[in-house]
Amino acid sequence: MPQHRSHWNSRWTFMLATAGSAIGLGNIWKLPYMIGVNGGSAFVLVFVACIFFVGIPLMMTEILLGRRTQKNPLDGMQALASEAQASSAWKYLGGMGMVTGLLILGFYSVIGGWVLAYIFEAGGGNFSQITAAQSTTNFKALLASPLKLTFWHTIFMVMTMAVVAKGVNSGLEKANNILIPSLFAILLVLLGYSMSVGDMHAAAQFMFKPDFSKITPVAVLSALGHAFFSLSLGMGAVMVYGSYLQRNVSIARTTIYIALADTMLGLLVGLAIYSLVFANHLAPNAGPGLIFQTLPIAFGHMPSGNFIGTLFFLLVAFAAWTSSISLVEPAIAWITENTKIKRYSAAWGLGLIVWLLGVAVVLSFNEWKEIKIIFGLNIFETLDKLTSTILLPLGGLLMAIFAGYVMKKNHVQEELDLNNQHFKLWQFTNNYIAPIAIAAVFLFLFGLVK
Ligand code: TRP
């Protein structure tokens, strides 16, 4: 049945949207604290290697799968499998991705809620002259209140679903066209400020001075998982954005721009944060609370700190918003293309389900803190680890295998449209490097190698 599908207005809009999906809490909230927890430069080095050798080739793979089928991930994988005369069971790869996206959104929305709350904390001048102890108390008070957390999580979900409900042309494009450029603008202001006031030298040493002794298996595992998370890979988000992409756009060039923008931005935010952290003698390894506990102290003691702090959290909220949209889009595309349910109802219906999951996540920070799901992890930690270190790399591994070994080579070539040398390079990374790296991490994860 021929379907009318909307298309991005231009390559620029696709880039903005995909960059908008990639750039989010992963860059601003997660990457900085993971760098701190995993020993600084060692983690950065492995992370950047994972972006180049696994992330970039697999992003090209995911876009090419999406653009070839012009369908949602589930139907798309099925169509691609039948084109390649392979088992239709490949469609479950698309289905797994949709579920993964909803699981991520369950906690993503709660953290997005923290950010919204902190825009108002900063705007209300609550950081002025704050001490380290007060800042920690403040953050803990937020975590201890299921009501407050649920309130902000609800606002974040409504913001996300309001854009999704409007659809690809009227919703996503417009939001991204405004949000991404403003985000870069706000970051430049913050960075300039950190350079003049913070300790950029210490931050650069911490993040970039190579120290191979600190590379641990756990750091490698987290770095690989985070490369997937940061580039939005392995669940079909990039695939579904790619399915709205016109045929005449170069996948390789677009991918490289996006991956570079995403990685650069994450590292720049890291530099801005750590130069403030070191100048104020704060601990780099504070964990998930890093930006919420340490930055207010920095903002509280700098001139115009309330203003800069408000801008900063506004930036984070924008970034999180354009990312969360892409976490539901695959499932919405599948529902609207397979059932009579309209986009509007699909968005609010799924929104309600994910909202409930988010409430469970909220409770895992207070009332249900002690409830462990698996390996001593609570609900939030389980969702985070399950998605980042297992489901996303698994999705990526299967996509790489599909594009590399199941699809006909000339079909892949047709989509990538690369010269021979570049095609070979993609093939080598997609067929060997990425699968072997991911498989090695899984073997380690399941204790098969030590
Ligand atoms: N990449 C986003 C971030 O860094 C999060 C995200 C959006 C994501 N869509 C995704 C992660 C799809 C994995 C898969 O914050």
Side-chain angles (χ1 to χ4, degrees), residues 20-27 100-101 104 108 226 228-238 262 319-320 322-324 326-327 392:
S21 162
I23 296 166
L25 293 173
N27 308 67
T100 306
I104 295 177
Y108 206 86
H226 191 62
F228 277 90
F229 190 88
S230 189
L231 290 179
S232 300
L233 297 179
M235 55 91 28
V238 167
D262 183 68
T322 53
S323 297
S324 62
S326 74
L327 287 165
L392 296 176

Side-chain angles (χ1 to χ4, degrees), residues 243-309:
S243 79
Y244 300 124
L245 182 64
Q246 274 123 334
R247 297 227 145 249
N248 55 359
V249 172
S250 155
I251 291 179
R253 195 173 313 142
T254 318
T255 296
I256 289 171
Y257 287 152
I258 293 170
L260 287 182
D262 183 68
T263 309
M264 291 283 294
L265 190 117
L267 294 177
L268 289 180
V269 175
L271 272 179
I273 288 180
Y274 281 109
S275 79
L276 293 175
V277 164
F278 290 122
N280 290 276
H281 309 290
L282 306 170
N285 61 347
L290 180 74
I291 67 171
F292 299 97
Q293 291 178 40
T294 56
L295 286 183
I297 313 171
F299 291 133
H301 291 90
M302 63 174 72
S304 317
N306 288 337
F307 178 67
I308 311 261

Side-chain angles (χ1 to χ4, degrees), residues 112-180:
W114 299 358
V115 174
L116 293 178
Y118 266 63
I119 296 174
F120 290 90
E121 288 279 318
N126 292 353
F127 298 158
S128 297
Q129 303 305 319
I130 201 169
T131 64
Q134 283 165 339
S135 178
T136 304
T137 312
N138 255 0
F139 182 65
K140 293 225 165 105
L142 177 67
L143 287 197
S145 164
L147 221 62
K148 272 194 202 158
L149 291 181
T150 305
F151 173 78
W152 290 112
H153 154 58
T154 307
I155 306 261
F156 191 86
M157 277 305 290
V158 169
M159 283 167 55
T160 301
M161 292 307 169
V163 175
V164 172
K166 291 178 95 185
V168 66
N169 279 320
S170 49
L172 302 186
E173 284 190 7
K174 268 190 207 135
N176 277 298
N177 274 322
I178 304 166
L179 296 181
I180 299 302

Side-chain angles (χ1 to χ4, degrees), residues 172-237:
L172 302 186
E173 284 190 7
K174 268 190 207 135
N176 277 298
N177 274 322
I178 304 166
L179 296 181
I180 299 302
S182 356
L183 186 125
F184 268 92
I186 298 179
L187 179 72
L188 287 183
V189 173
L190 180 71
L191 198 67
Y193 192 81
S194 289
M195 269 178 150
S196 64
V197 171
D199 189 344
M200 198 52 86
H201 180 71
Q205 289 259 323
F206 179 67
M207 284 176 58
F208 300 120
K209 193 170 172 218
D211 181 356
F212 296 97
S213 69
K214 286 196 185 131
I215 298 182
T216 65
V218 174
V220 175
L221 187 70
S222 325
L224 180 79
H226 191 62
F228 277 90
F229 190 88
S230 189
L231 290 179
S232 300
L233 297 179
M235 55 91 28

